């Protein structure tokens, strides 16, 4: 045993519900430093996992959106012809917040809502509050059934 007792004998812990989940690493087991899963609720655990995956993907897209214009360049032409704003006029990073017109931000938000509501264009999803489309298809959190790299199910690992 250890100073805290033998973990194998402590079978009443709600954390035991997640000991066999993907990502659990020996010798630490299920790691939850803030006790967010202390109640052992599987549905809440899966929602948090899906949200964590989604936030990670958004962060990766944000990094790509910052790096690509710096290394490859920006689109030619106008971002907003009516306001005379060219793509080259928009700085990278937080400076873009003040340059992109509000209608542009509204389009981005509506597009994100469309993707969120349709599960990446797979048809209307009845996702409800605090769920995403990957949680209703039975494939697991973050899996939208689009295949490897989302390449329309043509590429497989």
């Amino acid at each position: 045993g250890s100073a805290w007792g033998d973990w194998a004998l402590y079978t009443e812990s709600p954390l035991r519900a997640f000991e066999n989940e993907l990502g659990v690493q020996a010798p630490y087991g299920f790691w939850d430093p803030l006790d967010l899963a202390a109640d052992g609720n599987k549905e809440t655990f899966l929602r948090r996992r899906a949200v964590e995956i989604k936030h990670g993907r958004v962060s990766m897209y944000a990094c790509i959106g910052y790096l690509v214009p710096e290394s490859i360049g920006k689109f030619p032409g106008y971002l907003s012809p009516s306001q005379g704003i060219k793509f080259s006029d928009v700085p990278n990073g937080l400076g873009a917040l003040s340059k992109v017109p509000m209608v542009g931000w509204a389009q981005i938000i509506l597009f994100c809502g469309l993707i969120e509501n349709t599960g990446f264009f797979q048809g209307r999803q009845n996702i409800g509050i605090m769920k995403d489309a990957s949680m209703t298809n039975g494939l697991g959190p973050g899996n939208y059934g689009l295949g490897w790299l989302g390449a329309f199910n043509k590429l497989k690992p």
Side-chain angles (χ1 to χ4, degrees), residues 38-59:
D39 61 356
N41 186 320
K42 182 84 167 173
E43 185 176 319
T44 303
F45 172 79
L46 291 176
R47 182 187 67 77
R48 286 190 179 121
R49 178 164 276 186
V51 168
E52 179 182 14
I53 291 169
K54 186 183 300 180
H55 288 169
R57 289 175 178 168
V58 168
S59 297

Side-chain angles (χ1 to χ4, degrees), residues 92-125:
N92 289 341
L94 296 175
L97 293 173
S98 63
K99 294 289 186 182
V100 175
M102 287 306 293
V103 174
W105 291 117
Q107 288 173 348
I108 292 170
I109 291 168
L110 287 172
F111 181 72
C112 291
L114 177 69
I115 288 177
E116 188 74 23
N117 208 16
T118 62
F120 286 95
F121 308 109
Q122 296 181 50
R124 176 90 166 104
Q125 305 287 316

Side-chain angles (χ1 to χ4, degrees), residues 130-152:
M130 302 300 284
K131 290 189 176 185
D132 80 359
S134 74
M135 297 172 69
T136 61
N137 63 13
L139 298 175
N143 187 346
Y144 293 95
L146 297 175
W148 189 57
L149 294 178
F152 308 104

Side-chain angles (χ1 to χ4, degrees), residues 8-21:
L9 298 176
Y10 188 52
T11 58
E12 301 300 317
S13 172
L15 297 179
R16 287 289 202 183
F18 310 117
E19 280 295 310
N20 295 320
E21 290 293 333

Side-chain angles (χ1 to χ4, degrees), residues 63-115:
C63 287
I64 289 170
Y66 190 86
L67 295 173
V68 167
E70 286 288 330
S71 60
I72 295 176
K74 298 180 180 181
F75 290 125
Y78 286 88
L79 171 68
S80 175
S82 63
Q83 295 183 11
I85 302 172
K86 294 182 178 181
F87 285 105
S88 59
D89 296 337
V90 179
N92 289 341
L94 296 175
L97 293 173
S98 63
K99 294 289 186 182
V100 175
M102 287 306 293
V103 174
W105 291 117
Q107 288 173 348
I108 292 170
I109 291 168
L110 287 172
F111 181 72
C112 291
L114 177 69
I115 288 177

